[in-house]
């Protein structure tokens, strides 16, 4: 097996996922094309050398339907001979695209692959694609519930309190604001402009600097009424009869933000890099995806990370930094505790609570953030992991070279 190297990683800023957001006027395909062009231009890449483009996108309907990856390749001005694939592993899609690219390269079936993700949540509403996973019959047959209730169930089962999730969320905001002020995200950011070249957004806009645990403590839980009035809390007792009462701790301030954005990562073998004059920044050591309980849904970050580390012949002690998607604060805290990590290692520049979670793009964004910070601190090894809807998890281990 050949090594799969990461040659570069870029992303757009995250725009607020609403009509008033700075990226709302930008078509999803143009967001993706911005990232693809940025990657090409930064590496002076001859796109004829690309064997494939793999892009994660969760809500593949409307403007994000019809294999947006291929359309993005054409809009970005890549060579017409470059094929493209759009894939969906829910929130893990962007990282799954990178893992698939690494697998193709490592196996010898590709020399150079561009991978990443895109999601315009202001233009294509989350859940607009429907699907069997959300059918009421799933709730009756499996006891599945909406993710917010799953997050509260996770917190209840593992003794994570409202005070703890609010404190974690406030710290995510503080870290992200500090990182933005110090320019730690700047290396990877590709500004978004309109058709006339007018700047629309150059930096992440979802942050709420000044957020405190005390201010978050004033917000009402988002899922309590849903859980009790519609009997959804009771559904979870089929799998967890020991939970007599779910402690509803999550709200908009300690869950991931709805945003727009796109990311692109260049993955290739050593020969391709030498041929094109590219210097690798890191290599993919190992990755894993796992299935888990679809009721609690959000706990598979731990087994996915453990499996990826085992495949790399590593342990948690070998990790310098970890990026855990902050779908909900309890997910990040559960993952940190479940793996035995220090909070000083986890999401050191904040996470999706502050920055936002553009579903199909987040995994690719987190990998780029981890790589940038490893280089900034002159550290070596990072882990990226995300929980995934339907009860799945994904993780990737990278190592600087």
């Amino acid at each position: 097996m050949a090594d799969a190297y990461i040659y570069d990683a870029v992303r757009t800023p995250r725009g607020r996922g609403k009509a008033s957001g700075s990226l709302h006027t930008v078509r999803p395909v143009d967001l993706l094309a911005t990232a693809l062009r940025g990657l090409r231009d930064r590496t002076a890449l001859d796109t004829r050398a690309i064997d494939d483009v793999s892009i994660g996108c969760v809500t593949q309907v409307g403007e994000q339907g019809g294999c947006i990856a291929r359309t993005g390749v054409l809009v970005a001005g890549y060579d017409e001979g470059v094929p493209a694939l759009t894939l969906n592993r829910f929130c893990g899609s962007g990282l799954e695209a990178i893992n698939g690219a690494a697998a193709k390269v490592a196996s010898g079936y590709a020399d150079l692959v561009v991978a990443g993700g895109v999601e315009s949540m202001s233009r294509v509403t989350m859940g607009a694609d429907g699907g069997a996973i959300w059918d009421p019959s799933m709730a009756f047959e499996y006891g599945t519930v909406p993710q917010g209730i799953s997050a509260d169930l996770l917190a209840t089962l593992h003794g994570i309190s409202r005070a703890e999730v609010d404190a974690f969320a406030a710290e995510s905001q503080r870290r992200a604001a500090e990182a933005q002020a110090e320019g730690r995200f700047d290396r990877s950011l590709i500004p978004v402009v309109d058709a006339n070249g007018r700047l629309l957004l150059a930096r992440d806009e979802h942050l709420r600097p000044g957020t405190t645990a005390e201010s978050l403590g004033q917000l009402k839980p988002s899922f309590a009424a849903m859980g009790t009035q519609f009997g959804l809390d009771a559904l979870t007792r089929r799998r967890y009869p020991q939970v007599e009462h779910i402690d509803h701790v999550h709200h908009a301030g300690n869950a991931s933000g709805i945003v727009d954005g796109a990311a692109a990562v260049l993955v290739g073998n050593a020969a391709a890099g030498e041929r094109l004059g590219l210097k690798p920044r890191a290599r993919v050591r190992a990755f894993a995806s796992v299935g888990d309980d679809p009721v609690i849904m959000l706990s598979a970050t731990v087994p996915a990370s453990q499996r990826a580390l085992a495949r790399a012949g590593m342990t948690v002690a070998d990790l310098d930094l970890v990026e855990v998607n902050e779908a909900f604060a309890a997910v990040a805290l559960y993952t940190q505790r479940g793996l035995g990590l220090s909070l000083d290692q986890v999401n050191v520049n904040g996470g999706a609570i502050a920055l936002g979670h553009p579903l199909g793009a987040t995994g690719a964004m987190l990998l780029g953030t981890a790589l940038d910070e490893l280089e900034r601190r002159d550290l070596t090894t990072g882990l990226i992991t995300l929980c995934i809807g339907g009860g799945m998890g994904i993780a990737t281990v990278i190592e600087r070279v």
Side-chain angles (χ1 to χ4, degrees):
M1 300 287 284
D3 281 326
Y5 292 103
I6 299 167
Y7 286 102
D8 207 358
V10 303
R11 68 173 178 90
T12 69
R14 297 170 176 94
R16 292 191 187 96
K18 56 181 67 175
S20 59
S22 296
L23 299 181
H24 175 64
T25 59
V26 183
R27 298 182 306 165
V29 69
D30 293 319
L31 267 185
L32 175 58
T34 296
L36 293 175
R37 282 192 294 263
L39 186 68
R40 176 199 64 196
D41 295 346
R42 276 180 36 140
T43 57
L45 180 63
D46 182 348
T47 59
R48 292 174 297 181
I50 299 171
D51 292 306
D52 205 356
V53 172
S54 182
I55 298 297
C57 182
V58 174
T59 312
Q60 295 182 35
V61 67
E63 291 183 320
Q64 291 182 168
C67 192
I68 191 172
R70 173 59 177 173
T71 311
V73 162
L74 298 176
V75 172
Y78 278 30
D79 186 83
E80 292 180 0
V82 178
L85 163 73
T86 309
L87 58 86
N88 180 8
R89 198 189 285 278
F90 292 147
C91 299
S93 299
L95 192 59
E96 179 65 33
I98 295 169
N99 292 350
K104 287 181 180 180
V105 169
S107 67
Y109 283 98
D111 295 326
L112 200 67
V113 181
V114 172
V118 63
E119 206 81 32
S120 176
M121 301 181 75
S122 70
R123 294 176 69 97
V124 184
T125 307
M126 180 170 54
D129 54 340
I133 190 69
W134 313 122
D135 192 285
S137 66
M138 290 294 292
F140 288 107
E141 187 169 353
Y142 294 98
T144 55
V145 291
Q147 280 192 358
I149 293 177
S150 293
D152 289 340
L153 174 63
L154 180 71
T156 302
L157 280 168
H158 295 279
I160 300 171
S161 69
R162 171 66 186 265
E164 288 175 313
V165 292
D166 283 348
F168 180 89
E171 179 64 5
S172 178
Q173 292 282 359
R174 188 197 68 77
R175 291 181 179 188
E178 179 179 271
Q180 186 177 71
E182 294 184 359
R184 297 181 202 166
F185 301 133
D186 293 354
R187 174 172 182 175
S188 293
L189 283 174
I190 304 297
V192 180
V193 300
D194 65 14
N196 298 314
R198 180 175 65 91
L199 178 66
L200 296 177
L201 189 63
R203 56 189 237 158
D204 302 305
E205 68 173 353
H206 184 268
L207 288 75
R208 293 178 174 86
T211 298
T212 65
E214 290 72 26
S215 65
L216 293 175
Q218 303 303 309
L219 301 178
K220 293 182 179 181
S222 296
F223 307 102
M226 180 190 300
T228 56
Q229 294 176 13
F230 296 99
L232 296 176
D233 285 3
L235 282 177
T236 66
R237 295 196 189 107
R238 294 185 190 177
R239 187 66 64 96
Y240 299 98
Q242 71 273 32
V243 179
E244 296 182 2
H245 171 76
I246 293 179
D247 186 12
H248 290 284
V249 300
H250 288 98
H251 49 75
N254 58 31
S256 57
I258 294 173
V259 293
D260 306 332
V265 177
L266 184 60
V267 181
N269 59 28
E274 291 172 3
R275 185 170 65 251
L276 297 168
L278 300 171
K279 182 180 179 181
R281 296 175 61 188
R283 63 173 174 143
V284 176
R285 283 289 303 269
F287 53 83
S289 297
V290 303
D292 202 15
D293 172 19
V295 178
I296 204 163
M297 194 185 306
L298 308 171
S299 60
T301 49
V302 171
S305 298
Q306 291 169 334
R307 184 174 296 183
L309 286 168
R311 287 177 174 170
M314 299 168 62
T315 69
V316 171
D318 297 312
L319 296 173
D320 293 314
L321 297 176
V322 176
E323 288 288 328
V324 182
N325 186 37
E326 295 173 359
F328 298 90
V331 173
L333 285 168
Y334 164 77
T335 305
Q336 173 252 322
R337 296 174 186 179
L339 293 175
L341 297 163
S342 164
L343 277 174
D344 293 335
Q345 295 174 274
V346 177
N347 299 1
V348 296
N349 290 325
I353 290 171
L355 297 163
H357 173 25
L359 306 178
T362 302
M365 288 184 170
L366 293 183
L367 184 141
T369 298
L371 179 53
D372 285 349
E373 190 63 14
L374 286 171
E375 291 176 339
R376 191 181 78 85
R377 297 188 180 207
D378 195 22
L379 298 174
T380 303
T381 308
L383 173 100
I384 303 94
T385 185
L386 300 91
C387 61
I388 302 173
M392 296 184 285
I394 189 169
T396 303
V397 180
I398 62 171
E399 180 181 57
R400 286 181 59 208
V401 295

